[in-house]
Amino acid sequence: MSDNARWVRPLGSASADGWDVAIDDTVDGWSHTSLYAVTLAAGESRTLAAAEWEHVVVPLSGSVSVTVADPEGLSHDCVLAGRASVFAGPSDVAYATRDCELTVTAEGGAATVAVCGARAARRHTPPLRHVGVADVPVELRGAGIASREVRNFGTPGVLDADSIIACEVITPAGNWSSYPPHKHDEDRPGVEAELEEIYYFKVAPEVGSPAAADADPVAYQRVYGTDERPIDVLAEVRSGDVVLVPHGWHGPAMAAPGYDLYYLNVMAGPGDERAWLICDDPAHGWVRDTWATQQVDPRLPLGGAQ
């Protein structure tokens, strides 16, 4: 039986408190990660109350200012230059530690912004950090039709944080991403980490394509489980949709021909170690070996060389 109704949130079905998307621990079966996303008019703001969550602010389009009020009553702020769209290239981001009230405001025009969150045990200093776009590593992963671009703004080794792991992935039209299918739902030190994961999608006509005025950008996401922990999700996704991965093998994320695919990933779990350790589905892991004889898709990186 399909689990789409439980773990897939089409745009409009997860709105709350002025956010277009609001995913947090109020979702049944969800504990460690959160995601808020909203489109703001110029000068419009949204605020998240101080709590035990650390956050990463990611401009999806436009520019935003970020203000953090720390427990001592001091205010910290920065402006994120952002970008025209997620398909135009990476963005600068901001990190805010736990116990801080966080406010985002659209600067200079309308803006769409995502705020990624994870439950954190420890506070980090300074309370607010600006990560410049030049400091966001861009990785070209896979090869051939499994080529994708990964922007590692919130991964271990790039961002100092307590538990959150976040990145964004661009998959050119016709390619498969999150492949081979993999999982990270068991705590096996040095082998696999227990992490729940949020996928937030944007889909657009392929750069340079003569897309019809009534084009319907669409992509697909697969999640499936083990015999011991079953889950069955096969979702048709569009811009603003969310797929939650509590456990199980996930992948591929499929970009349909004619449409480029973006997804924002947010991960965290109960373990003490902040690490992205995955295990491939043994039925498909052999596919990685074929990449050695293939070229990376020349369309990458989208937005030009970084």
Side-chain angles (χ1 to χ4, degrees):
M1 184 173 69
S2 172
D3 293 307
N4 282 24
R6 182 173 185 185
W7 301 117
V8 180
R9 298 291 191 275
L11 180 62
S13 67
S15 57
D17 301 323
W19 297 91
D20 300 332
V21 174
I23 300 292
D24 53 31
D25 60 349
T26 61
V27 174
D28 181 40
W30 209 250
S31 303
H32 304 287
T33 56
S34 65
L35 177 70
Y36 302 89
V38 66
T39 296
L40 301 170
E44 189 179 6
S45 299
R46 292 291 185 276
T47 296
L48 292 173
E52 68 273 19
W53 298 75
E54 59 186 355
H55 295 99
V56 178
V57 180
V58 184
L60 303 176
S61 63
S63 177
V64 297
S65 63
V66 181
T67 300
V68 163
D70 68 26
E72 290 69 44
L74 299 176
S75 181
H76 312 263
D77 53 45
C78 68
V79 174
L80 302 181
R83 52 195 164 179
S85 82
V86 296
F87 298 102
S91 174
D92 52 347
V93 303
Y95 169 83
T97 193
R98 59 164 287 167
D99 303 319
C100 294
E101 183 181 80
L102 171 67
T103 300
V104 293
T105 305
E107 289 284 325
T112 301
V113 61
V115 182
C116 314
R119 197 180 298 278
R122 295 172 293 274
R123 288 178 60 191
H124 284 243
T125 56
L128 176 66
R129 295 201 304 274
H130 181 197
V131 180
V133 67
D135 296 320
V136 176
V138 176
E139 171 192 0
L140 301 186
R141 188 178 296 170
I145 61 170
S147 299
R148 60 271 203 185
E149 171 187 346
V150 185
R151 302 165 182 164
N152 289 303
F153 60 80
T155 55
V158 176
L159 179 70
D160 183 26
D162 185 71
S163 61
I164 194 167
I165 299 173
C167 65
E168 54 188 14
V169 180
I170 294 287
T171 308
N175 284 9
W176 282 28
S177 193
S178 284
Y179 198 77
H182 57 279
K183 72 179 184 73
H184 38 70
D185 59 12
E186 296 181 77
D187 181 15
R188 297 189 293 156
V191 177
E192 184 178 354
E194 183 181 352
L195 303 167
E196 64 183 24
E197 183 167 11
I198 300 171
Y199 278 72
Y200 171 82
F201 296 94
K202 294 283 188 181
V203 194
E206 181 177 10
V207 173
S209 68
D214 58 351
D216 181 20
V218 63
Y220 297 86
Q221 173 72 32
R222 177 72 169 128
V223 185
Y224 58 100
T226 61
D227 291 340
E228 297 77 17
R229 301 182 73 188
I231 185 172
D232 184 7
V233 171
L234 178 56
E236 185 175 275
V237 295
R238 291 173 171 80
S239 288
D241 292 355
V242 172
V243 172
L244 303 178
V245 184
H247 58 85
W249 311 106
H250 43 289
M254 295 164 273
Y259 302 111
D260 291 329
L261 172 63
Y262 163 96
Y263 52 86
L264 174 63
N265 283 148
V266 188
M267 292 170 277
D272 293 332
E273 183 183 11
R274 178 176 173 246
W276 185 66
L277 298 174
I278 68 170
C279 174
D280 284 342
D281 183 340
H284 305 294
W286 64 270
V287 173
R288 288 188 188 273
D289 296 334
T290 69
W291 296 345
T293 59
Q294 301 177 61
Q295 298 298 312
V296 174
D297 192 315
R299 294 174 291 180
L300 294 175
L302 257 63
Q306 307 299 331

